[in-house]
Amino acid sequence: MILRTHYSGQIRPDMDGSEVVLAGHAHETRDLGGILFLVVRDREGLSQVTMVAKRTERSILETVRGLSRESVVSVRGKVKAEAKAPRGFEIIPSSVQVLARADSPLPLDPTGKVDCELDTRLDSRFMDLRRPASMAVFRIESAVLQSLRQTFYSKGFTEVCTPKVVATATEGGTALFPISYFEKEAFLNQSPQLYKQILMSTGLDRVFEIGPIFRAEEHDTRRHLNEAISVDIEMSYADHDDVMALLESAVAEAYRFVGEVCQHELSVLGLDLHVPKTPFRRVTYTEALDMAREAGRASMEWGDDIDTETEHYLGSTIGEHYFLTDWPAKVKPYYTQPYDDRPEVSKGFDLMHPTMELASGAQRVHDYGLLVERMKSQGLDPDGFEFYLKAFRYGMPPHAGWGLGLGRLVQTMLGLENIRDAVLFPRDRKRLVP
Ligand code: ATP
Ligand code: MG
């Protein structure tokens, strides 16, 4: 049984006379008495099926007249070039098969003609994704993932999967989800950091992981969720500059690739994607602080974390992707390598989009003694990290890496107001379903 031979996007007026089988949702039916239209929607667009009442089999007319919106159909018919039809062709059907009926009323309007609230859309995400503008985001996200993987593979990286159920926090913080794990205390992992570093001691040298991270913070922002997908890499015999170079080329290449393979999706979204120019500007923490202070926009002291307001000022002044480098060691995690000659300054960096942070990374501490000392200076007990520290005692190469938020990358690439628009089934303080 052939239910589909072509997607809408593959049918052109010059195929006049050929037989095709289309399948999709019944987007719209219009009954003008003497003539009937059925518009079928599939992931590539719309096709108009036209039935002149006098010349069409009665059973087909009955089927189409009884069709509820969004039912699933398969239509066999001949392509006819028709200048008046929306895409220059129409389909003259020889059979219309109903594969599944849709109830009515619909939970939301999938044609996109009627605007609706984000919450309503997320409640019925399956229906929301039928809207071309929603679906386009996730087709693009898939291309972003494909591009990132291609970049990593082309540079000799191995894809790895580390555990999401763990016994300790990455940074000893409090932002963890406890879970029940037999008779033990366990948590959902907030980052693959410790595991990807452990893997650097094995000789694998270059690893990447694309997987969920869990943060139990009670965020209520447009860029935070409690479950996010992190694109993580770790690389041996490399410093912070090496991994910044990899990060900017991976991001720029993802833009270029999306521009090449997602033309339909970008046009649905009305976007003209500009590939960010590399190398991205490097701005040290101290320079950033001076810029903000000169403009009277920062009341921070050297050593404070950069607040959101200052971040926005810097973003709007710089106006493109940039790296914030040379952070004070005390605001970056214990595993961040300090400069040899300036121990108060670290080789940690953030990749910034003008509107938000996209990634954090660093050259890591690979010396066991220094790592223990850094842990203690941040108030952590090394005993709780034995499984991690052990990997540093038997030959750990120097290494560096970063973690990039997939949702934020897609959100900023497409100019989406809310990260929830870039995540299929977002998890936040209030949302656990669907
Ligand atoms: P922020 O300061 O914006 O809360 P962070 O510095 O706590 O982020 P990192 O631990 O550096 O985040 O994680 C690396 C990247 O993972 C971030 O730059 C971001 O892109 C993404 N990320 C982290 N936490 C979240 C979250 N709660 N929701 C969405 N993405 C996140
Ligand atoms: Mg960060």
Side-chain angles (χ1 to χ4, degrees):
M1 182 171 54
I2 295 169
L3 294 178
R4 171 188 280 144
T5 57
H6 291 73
Y7 280 104
S8 289
Q10 296 170 321
I11 303 175
R12 296 175 317 270
D14 64 10
M15 289 163 66
D16 186 88
S18 41
E19 190 176 70
V20 295
V21 186
L22 273 175
H25 288 97
H27 186 73
E28 191 182 358
T29 51
R30 262 174 297 143
D31 187 352
L32 309 180
I35 189 161
L36 242 88
F37 297 105
L38 161 63
V39 180
V40 178
R41 188 189 66 247
D42 60 33
R43 69 180 196 199
E44 292 194 356
L46 305 173
S47 289
Q48 176 179 300
V49 181
T50 306
M51 291 142 282
V52 176
K54 271 195 250 165
R55 276 183 258 140
T56 308
E57 230 178 86
R58 204 199 195 106
S59 66
I60 294 183
L61 295 173
E62 271 167 18
T63 302
V64 173
R65 285 193 171 117
L67 210 53
S68 54
R69 274 177 72 200
E70 293 301 307
S71 291
V72 178
V73 293
S74 172
V75 178
R76 180 181 289 271
K78 280 222 164 77
V79 178
K80 181 168 165 242
E82 170 55 68
K84 277 183 271 166
R87 298 197 19 248
F89 70 86
E90 57 190 10
I91 306 292
I92 310 300
S94 55
S95 88
V96 174
Q97 215 181 327
V98 182
L99 303 175
R101 280 192 185 282
D103 271 356
S104 60
L106 301 171
L108 58 85
D109 173 35
T111 64
K113 284 180 197 145
V114 184
D115 260 353
C116 75
E117 298 284 317
L118 180 61
D119 263 323
T120 313
R121 290 175 33 216
L122 292 176
D123 285 342
S124 300
R125 191 58 146 165
F126 70 95
M127 184 66 69
D128 174 55
L129 289 167
R130 295 186 193 180
R131 299 184 324 121
S134 288
M135 184 183 291
V137 171
F138 297 97
R139 300 267 296 170
I140 290 171
E141 184 173 275
S142 166
V144 167
L145 286 167
Q146 187 184 345
S147 168
L148 291 170
R149 284 199 165 89
Q150 273 163 2
T151 297
F152 300 146
Y153 288 133
S154 76
K155 294 181 189 296
F157 280 76
T158 299
E159 182 162 10
V160 297
C161 306
T162 64
K164 303 307 151 203
V165 176
V166 297
T168 38
T170 306
E171 293 171 32
T174 49
L176 287 171
F177 287 111
I179 62 163
S180 110
Y181 192 78
F182 305 111
E183 64 284 356
K184 289 204 175 72
E185 184 181 47
F187 305 95
L188 292 176
N189 208 3
Q190 66 190 110
S191 151
Q193 182 66 31
L194 305 187
Y195 290 95
K196 58 182 188 163
Q197 282 195 265
I198 289 173
L199 291 175
M200 291 303 98
S201 82
T202 65
L204 265 179
D205 285 358
R206 295 173 174 213
V207 300
F208 78 93
E209 174 163 19
I210 301 175
I213 57 172
F214 301 91
R215 308 273 165 109
E217 286 139 15
E218 301 207 10
H219 301 293
D220 188 13
T221 76
R222 295 169 192 276
R223 64 181 196 287
H224 287 99
L225 289 171
N226 295 106
E227 179 183 289
I229 298 297
S230 175
V231 179
D232 265 275
I233 70 116
E234 204 66 31
M235 186 172 168
S236 285
Y237 309 103
D239 65 10
H240 53 311
D241 286 322
D242 299 322
V243 293
M244 277 193 271
L246 172 64
L247 179 50
E248 65 195 352
S249 71
V251 168
E253 175 56 19
Y255 272 74
R256 194 203 61 74
F257 186 72
V258 165
E260 181 187 311
V261 304
C262 297
Q263 288 169 10
H264 168 72
E265 288 75 12
L266 291 169
S267 80
V268 164
L269 294 171
L271 286 181
D272 188 11
L273 212 57
H274 295 284
V275 180
K277 263 215 284 306
T278 54
F280 298 161
R281 191 165 151 190
R282 269 76 170 156
V283 181
T284 67
Y285 168 93
T286 306
E287 284 164 0
L289 201 60
D290 288 346
M291 270 170 72
R293 277 189 187 143
E294 271 165 32
R297 299 299 288 271
S299 52
M300 302 153 27
E301 294 297 318
W302 196 94
D304 293 345
D305 200 353
I306 292 192
D307 55 44
T308 312
E309 200 187 321
T310 308
E311 201 176 285
H312 286 161
Y313 168 73
L314 293 169
S316 60
T317 309
I318 295 169
E320 55 192 6
H321 288 84
Y322 65 103
F323 282 110
L324 258 180
T325 67
D326 298 16
W327 284 75
K330 68 174 183 189
V331 287
K332 284 294 173 189
Y334 61 85
Y335 48 76
T336 310
Q337 177 77 35
Y339 280 95
D340 292 341
D341 53 342
R342 300 176 281 161
E344 72 289 355
V345 184
S346 79
K347 296 187 181 180
F349 61 84
D350 282 357
L351 170 63
M352 306 297 299
H353 178 269
T355 58
M356 70 185 79
E357 176 190 317
L358 295 182
S360 287
Q363 182 182 330
R364 322 296 191 185
V365 177
H366 69 282
D367 178 81
Y368 175 80
L370 179 59
L371 190 54
V372 171
E373 187 189 310
R374 298 278 305 133
M375 269 185 178
K376 287 183 181 158
S377 79
Q378 295 204 350
L380 295 170
D381 178 5
D383 287 348
F385 291 88
E386 185 45 30
F387 77 100
Y388 166 68
L389 288 171
K390 211 167 137 185
F392 288 76
R393 296 207 329 249
Y394 305 94
M396 173 63 94
H399 59 279
W402 41 257
L404 163 72
L406 177 68
R408 290 190 192 179
L409 177 61
V410 173
Q411 181 188 0
T412 51
M413 179 183 279
L414 305 182
L416 304 172
E417 202 159 312
N418 198 312
I419 192 170
R420 289 161 181 78
D421 273 312
V423 174
L424 282 172
F425 300 103
R427 292 288 173 260
D428 62 25
R429 181 74 183 85
K430 297 190 196 100
R431 185 174 289 280
L432 189 55
V433 178

